[in-house]
Amino acid sequence: MTEGYGAISRRDVLKTGAAGAAIAGSIGPGQAALAQPDPAAPPRAAVGLKVNGQAVRLDLDTRTTLLDALREHVKLTGTKKGCDHGQCGACTVIVNGRRINSCLTLAVMHEGDEVTTIEGLGTPESLHPMQAAFVEHDGYQCGYCTPGQICSAVAVLEEIRAGIPSHVTADVSKPAPMTTVEMRERMSGNICRCGAYSNIAEAMADVAGVKA
Amino acid sequence: MKFDKPAGTNPIDRMAVVGRPTPRIDGPLKVSGKAPYAYEQQDVPGKPAYGYILGSAVAKGTISAIDTTRAERAPGVLSVVTHRNAGKLGKGRMNTAHLLAGPKVEHYHQAVAVVVAETFEQARAAASLINVDYARESGAFDLAAARAGAKDATGSDAPTSVGDFAGAFASAGVQLDQTYTTPDQSHAMMEPHATIAAWEGDSLTIWTSNQMINWGVKELAATLQMPPEKVRLISPYIGGGFGGKLFLRTDAVMAALSARAVKRPVKVALQRPLIPNNTTHRPATIQRIRIGCGSDGRITAIGHESWSGDLEGGGPEAATQQTKLLYAGANRMTALRLAVLDLPEGNAMRAPGEAPGLMALEVAMDEMAEKLGMDPVAFRVVNDTQVDPEDPSRPFSQRNLVRCLEEGARRFGWNRRKAPGQGREGRWLVGMGVAAAFRNNINGKSGARVRLDRAGGVTVETDMTDIGTGTYTIIAQTAAEMLGVPLAKVTVKLGDSAFPVSAGSGGQWGANSSTSGVYAACVKLRDMVVGKLGFGPGDAQFEGGQVRVGNRVADIADAAKGGELVAEDTMEYGDLAKTFQQSTFGAHFVEAAVDRYTGETRIRRMLAVCAAGRILNPISARSQVIGAMTMGVGGALMEELAVDKRFGFFVNHDLAGYEVPVHMDIPHQDVVFLDEADDKVSPMKAKGVGELGLCGVGAAVANAVYNATGIRVREYPLTLDKYLDRLGEVA
Amino acid sequence: MRPFTYEKATSAQDAAAKAAAMPGARFIAGGTNLLDLMKLEIETPSHLIDVNGLGLDRIEEIDGGGLRIGALVRNTDLAADQRVRKDYAVLTRALVAGASGQLRNKATTAGNLLQRTRCPYFYDTNMPCNKRKPGSGCAALGGFSRQLGVIGTSDACIATHPSDMAVAMRVLDASVETIRPDGTTRAIPIAEFHTLPGETPHIETALEKGEMIISVALPRPRGGTHIYRKVRDRASYAFALVSVAAVIQRDGKGAVALGGVAPKPWRVEEAEALLPQGPKAVADRLFAGARPREDNAFKLTLAQRTIASVMAEAKA
C-alpha cells in the first residue's frame, strides 16, 4: 500500500500559502469557497456589553473575538491572549456569572451580556480576596496567566458551591465537596508554565476556608 | 566595583530586609491586570497597526515565487513585508537562522512575510491570501540517523578526559553502560513573543518581551544594520521566557520592518501555532553513560557522551556539563557531539545542558546503585567530592550536596521506600525516587543606577528584567537594606535600555548578578550621602531612614535636600570563579503512583532541598523552585515535540498538542533551603535557584516510576506506551 | 479568518432553511470548535447563523421515560443535571472528563457531537489532509500518529473523533433529533450519526445540507453501574488516548463503547456478549480488523487494559 507522503522527492515543488492556499479552498459539501476578497470593508455589527458594570457600545468587525474586543477596543488588557485557541485559559473572563475562554467567542454574540474581567474584580488599591490571596501565597510568577487563573479561581469556588460535579467527584449523584483536589481538577484549563500550581491551590484553599 | 576577593561582612549581612519572606512588590499590579506586557503598551506614539506573520510551509528549500498582490488589495492592508522589500538585513550574532526567510528557507515556520493592516482581523485574513511557491529540498531531520555523522563539539564544549577512562572502566568490578534519550522540548511560556515597534526619524523604540535587554539592542541593530544607540528596547513585564526570550526573535524584527514600511507603530505577536517551530527549542539528546565502580561503591570511571543536532552553525546541547563536576572518580571522560539537522533552531531552555544531562546521569546513578546493592542516597554520598574532579586544585566555594540528600531523605521518609515493584495501594503501584540537583553558578557583569530624592525615596534603574523571577522585589530589598530605608520607599524600574546594562535574566545568574550591581551602585550612593551630610570618615550605619557616623545622625533624605543624588556603578568579577568552582546543589525526592491497568503516572509528593547560597527572598525563590519542579514533571512524563521526519517539523505545535503539566498533575510541593551564604560568589553571597530547581527532577520522577513498577524506561518522556506491555497481566 | 456576515436565527426551521439556501452559511452555537478552526481557515464560512436563543437549551423528560436534551444545552448544565447524574451517570462522567470548565460552560450538546478531529495534520494547513481538502492526501499516514485511529479508519484518513460525550451517548443508545430545511424532522440513532471516512473523510455525519440538530433523546434509564474511564498523558485537559464508557449490570452483562480509537465512538454489540469471558475476549472482538500504525499500536493493549480496569471497577 502506498502511503502517499512517506517519501518526498529531492526537489519537490510545493505550492502553498499560509492556509495552504493551494491545498485549502473549499472544504467540503455545504461549504462554498469564498469568492475573491471583496474590496469593500468586511461586515461589521454593533454590540452592547456590560463590562465590569459599565455599558459599552461597540461597532466591530464581526470577526472580533470577545478577547480582542476587550483588549484592543475597550483597552482592558488585563485579560490575556496566550494561545487564541482555547488551549491555555489566559483569556478567561466571567460572562453572566460563568467563566469562559474569551478567545473562542465572538463579541457580537454577547449582546447585553455582563462581562467581568480581572479589572472588575479588584484594583491594586482594593484587591478582591482572591487577588489578595494570590499575592499572599505567591500564586504566580511571570503574571501572564494570572488574570485568567484568578477569574477561573473565583468562578471555580462558585461552581463547587453550586454542586456542579467534576472529573474527580467520587459520586456524581451528590454535590461535589470543597476540596483542593476538586479545585485542582477544575483549574486545569488554566495553564501556568511558571508552575505556580501548588501556591495557587493554597491561595484558593485560603479563600475557600479549607485546608490546602 | 570589582569583586575579586571573598566578601567580608557588609550591610547585606544584617538581613533586615534581604532574606526575609517578602511578597512581590509588583504583585498587586499583576493580580489586577494592570501590569502592561509588550503588546499592551498604551504610551505608543500613534495608533499601532497590526502585523500578522506568515510562516514557511517547508522546512528547507527556496522561495521560488511569492505573490502578495491579493493580500495587498485586501481590506485594511497597509503593507506586506517580505524578503523582497525588507531591505538588506544582517543577522544577530546569537541567531543561527535568519529571522526573515527568503529566498532561502532554513526551517519550518520561519517567517516568510508579515502582513500589516489596520486591524488584527484584517491582517490575519490577508496573510492567507499570499501565495508562496517553494522549491523544497530534502533535509536531515532524524537525530538517531544523523548520530553517526556527528562531530565533536569544540571550544568550551570540546571533549574532556582525565586519567585512563577506558582502562578503568574495563577493569571496574561493577559496570553500567546505558543509553538514554531526551526529546526536543518547547519553552511554551504563556506570553507569546510580542513587540510594538515605533520609529521616530531614524530612531527605533520597541516594546517587547525579552530577557536580555542589551543583547536585544545589539542584535536588533545588527539585524537592521543600524547603530545600537538608535535602538531603545523596553521590556518591563515579561510573560515567561525560560530561555525562549533570551534572543532577538522575529516578532521584533517584523514589527520594526513593518513600522518602517507603514510609517506608524506596528504591533506583532507570534501566533501560538508558530511558536514551537518559528522560535528556539531545547534540542533532543542521545546520551551514553558508562560508570565503573568498585564493590565499595566508589566510582573509578565515569564517562558521558551526548549527541544532539542543530542547524548548520548552531551548537550542541551541553548535556555532559554536570558530569565533569558532580561525582568523584579518578578516570573520566565527557564528549559532546553535534550533528547538523534541518529542524528549527535549537538553543537554551531553562538549565540548558544540566536539565537533560541529569535526566540521564541521575537515572544511571540509580541503576548503578541497584547493581551495587546500595541505597541510591548512600551511593551518591559515597561519591561526593569537595574539589573539581577534573582539577583537584580547585575546591568548590561551598558544596552541601550530602546535606541536601540526607536532609531530604529524612524529611521525605525515604526509609519507607520499598524494593522495586513492591509498593502497592489498590490499583496503584507506588514508588519513591531521588536525584541529585546540580547547576553551575555564573556571575554576570551588572550595572544599576540609584537615585535618592528629597523625600528620602529611592529609585533603582537597571535594564535587568523580571521574567517572573521576582527581580523587582529582590532589587528593592537590596536597595532598602543597603540604604536603611523601608521597602515601601524603594521604586524599581526595570527592562529599559535607557538604564544601565545588567546581566539580564538567564542561566540562573539574574538574581545574584543584578542585586550585586545594585549593591555596587548603593555603595557609591552611600558615600555620596555621607559626603553630602558632611559627616567625616567613619563606619556609616544606614538604618531606619537615618544615617549615623559615630554620634552624628541625620535623616537620609537630608542628603538630597539640595537635589536628587544619583549614583551608578557596575559590579564586575575577578578570578574567584576560576579559583573556586561555584555551583549550586540540591536533592529532589518524588513519590509517584502508576496505574497498574493503564500505566498512567500521577505524582503524589515532591520535595526539593536546595543549597544555593543566601536566599534573597524565600517566597520568590521557593516559587522558582516549585515552578521548576513542575516543568521537571512535564519533562519526565509528557513533554515532547514530535518530529515529522519526512516534512522536518514539530507536529504538535500548539498548547493542545504539546502537553505541559496542568493543575491536576501537580501535588503540594515542599521546598527546603539550607541556610547558606557563599562569600566567594558576590557581596550578596547568593547564587541562583531558578534552574537548580529543574535539574534532576525528571530523573527523580523516572526513578520513582521504576521503584513503583520495576520497569526501567530510558526514553523520555515516560509515556505509558513505553511500558504498558511490561506492566503485568490484568484480568 | 475570512469575513462573514452574522445573524441571529429566529427559529430552528428558519435557520435550517437559510443554511441550506445560503452558500457558505454555518450554524454557530458555543463556537469553541468552529472559531478555533475559522482562525486557521480550516473552516471558512461566509455567513454565521447564531442559533443560541432558540430555546433549545432545556432538558425535558420524555413521556414513558427518557430525557430529551436540547441541542443548545451547555456541557456543564448537562453534566450537572440531577436526572442525568442519577440515571445516566456515564454521561455526566464523560462530559466532565472533556475539555476544561471554561469550555464546558460554552460548548453545546450539538456542537460537541459535531466537533472535528484533533489530528495535527488536519490542523496544519500546510499539510495534505483529505478531510480538510479532499483529494490532497493524508499526511498522518506515515507521520506522527500516536493520537490517531486504529480501527474504522481508511487509506484516506486515520483521524479520531475527539468527543467524550458522544462515547457515553453511544453506550446509552441516544438518538439525534433534527430538523431539515423543509421543516420535517427525523431521529438518527447515534450509531448512524457519525460516519466512517472511507474515501470521503470530509463527510463526518449523516446530516444533510442545512439539517440542524434540535435535541438528543436518551432512552429510558437502564440502571447498572456507570463508568467513564479516560486515559491520557496528563491528568486533565487533554484528549483521550483511549476512553471507555460502560454501563455494566449486576449480572456482568452490559454495554461498552470506546473513544480515542476510531473516527466515531466505537461500539460493537457482539463484543458485549463476550463481557463474561473477560476483557481480552471483548477487546479482541472490538478490534477485529484493526489497522494500527507503529505509533499507536499501543492503543490496542491500552484499550484492553482499560476495559479490564472498568470491569474490575464495576465488580468492586
Side-chain angles (χ1 to χ4, degrees), chain A residues 24 104 122:
Chain A
L104 286 187

Side-chain angles (χ1 to χ4, degrees), chain A residues 84-146:
Chain A
D84 215 17
H85 288 277
Q87 301 165 353
C88 78
C91 67
T92 303
V93 298
I94 300 169
V95 176
N96 299 337
R98 292 186 155 204
R99 58 182 172 135
I100 63 166
N101 297 115
S102 62
C103 75
L104 286 187
T105 191
L106 296 169
V108 295
M109 294 172 75
H110 290 277
E111 180 63 43
D113 284 355
E114 299 206 10
V115 180
T116 303
T117 70
I118 190 70
E119 292 94 340
L121 289 178
T123 61
E125 298 74 32
S126 174
L127 296 175
H128 181 280
M130 190 63 80
Q131 292 171 319
F134 268 61
V135 174
E136 188 187 338
H137 293 276
D138 213 42
Y140 53 11
Q141 291 183 45
C142 79
Y144 198 77
C145 74
T146 310

Side-chain angles (χ1 to χ4, degrees), chain B residues 656 659, chain C residues 115 118 147 162-163 230-233 237-241:
Chain B
E659 291 185 13
Chain C
Q115 67 181 304
R118 306 301 300 204
Q147 290 278 351
S163 172
K230 181 176 183 180
V231 181
R232 43 193 161 177
D233 289 320
Y237 198 23
F239 293 94
L241 293 168

